[in-house]
Amino acid sequence: LMTSRTATNVLRDEPVDVEITDSELVYEGRVWDIRSDTFVYGGDATVRQYMAHPGAVAVVALDDDNRVLLLQQYRHPIRARDWEIPAGLLDIEGESPALAARRELAEEADLVADSLEPLVSIRTSPGGSDETVHLFLARGLHATDEACGRGAEEADIRLEWTPRADAVSAVLGGRMANAILAVGLLAAAE
C-alpha cells in the first residue's frame, strides 16, 4: 500500500509506460473490440482482457430556464429504457470531440448550440475498458433545420426537458443510474 500527502490541486492520474509483450484481438465487434494483452508491471508478466473502445462524447444541454434535456431509450445490456444525455461515439476519423458533441446533439435531439464548453473527461470503467467520454455543456439551444431520422433503439427515443435540480435529485436518489448522465449533471451543477 502506497500513501503520500499530496495537495489536492496536484492530484492527477499518472500514465505508466509498461512493456506489452503480446496483444491479441480476441473479438472484433461492430463498435468495440475485445483485446487480450500480456504486459510486464512490477517485474511480473500479467494478462488482462479489456474492451478497446473508440471513445465517446456526451452533452449536458441546458435551456434558458435551467432545464436539462434528458433522453430515454432502450439499452439492451441492462434490459431497460435508460435516462441519458445526448451522447455518441467518436467514430468518424479526424472528428474532434467538440464536433462530435455537436453532431450527436443534432442527431439525437435535433438541436444546435450557440455555446459548447468542455466540462470533464471521464474513463467509464478503467478496469475493463479504455473508453474515455468527453462531456460538454451546451447552451443557446435552437432547433436544427431538419429533423434527424432515427432507427433501431433510437426509433422510440423520448425527449424530456427537466429542471436540472430535479434531475440531480433523481440521480442522487437512485432513480436514474446512468454514469455519464450523473457525472454530466453534477459537473454542470458545479
Side-chain angles (χ1 to χ4, degrees):
L1 181 64
M2 293 175 31
T3 61
S4 66
R5 292 177 186 240
T6 307
T8 56
N9 63 349
V10 295
L11 288 176
R12 66 184 49 141
D13 295 340
E14 298 177 8
V16 177
D17 187 22
V18 297
E19 177 188 1
I20 298 174
T21 59
D22 188 45
S23 185
E24 175 187 354
L25 178 63
V26 175
Y27 172 79
E28 185 174 3
R30 185 181 71 79
V31 176
W32 48 74
D33 302 331
I34 302 298
R35 300 204 63 85
S36 182
D37 286 358
T38 303
F39 60 95
V40 178
Y41 182 79
D44 297 320
T46 303
V47 176
R48 292 287 183 265
Q49 292 79 35
Y50 63 95
M51 178 177 57
H53 194 284
V57 296
V59 181
V60 178
L62 289 178
D63 70 6
D64 294 336
D65 295 322
N66 209 28
R67 296 178 307 163
V68 63
L69 176 65
L70 301 180
L71 312 178
Q72 189 183 55
Q73 64 180 334
Y74 177 70
R75 293 300 189 183
H76 186 71
I78 61 171
R79 310 299 192 277
R81 289 180 53 79
D82 189 38
W83 283 108
E84 306 176 356
I85 54 178
L89 297 172
L90 284 169
D91 57 356
I92 296 177
E93 185 74 31
E95 184 179 45
S96 71
L99 285 176
R102 288 186 181 280
R103 174 177 51 83
E104 289 297 333
L105 189 59
E107 288 178 2
E108 291 195 341
D110 300 322
L111 291 174
V112 176
D114 292 333
S115 167
L116 188 74
E117 302 171 34
L119 278 174
V120 66
S121 294
I122 62 171
R123 295 184 185 111
T124 55
S125 183
S129 172
D130 65 358
E131 177 185 26
T132 297
V133 179
H134 307 280
L135 289 101
F136 293 86
L137 176 63
R139 292 187 183 271
L141 303 165
H142 47 92
T144 57
D145 292 335
E146 292 182 27
C148 184
R150 296 178 186 88
E153 292 102 333
E154 292 181 347
D156 65 348
I157 198 168
R158 177 180 167 196
L159 303 177
E160 186 77 36
W161 287 98
T162 304
R164 184 172 61 179
D166 292 353
V168 169
S169 292
V171 167
L172 296 177
R175 297 184 307 278
M176 294 191 301
N178 181 286
I180 296 168
L181 165 70
V183 169
L185 286 173
L186 297 176
E190 226 5 72

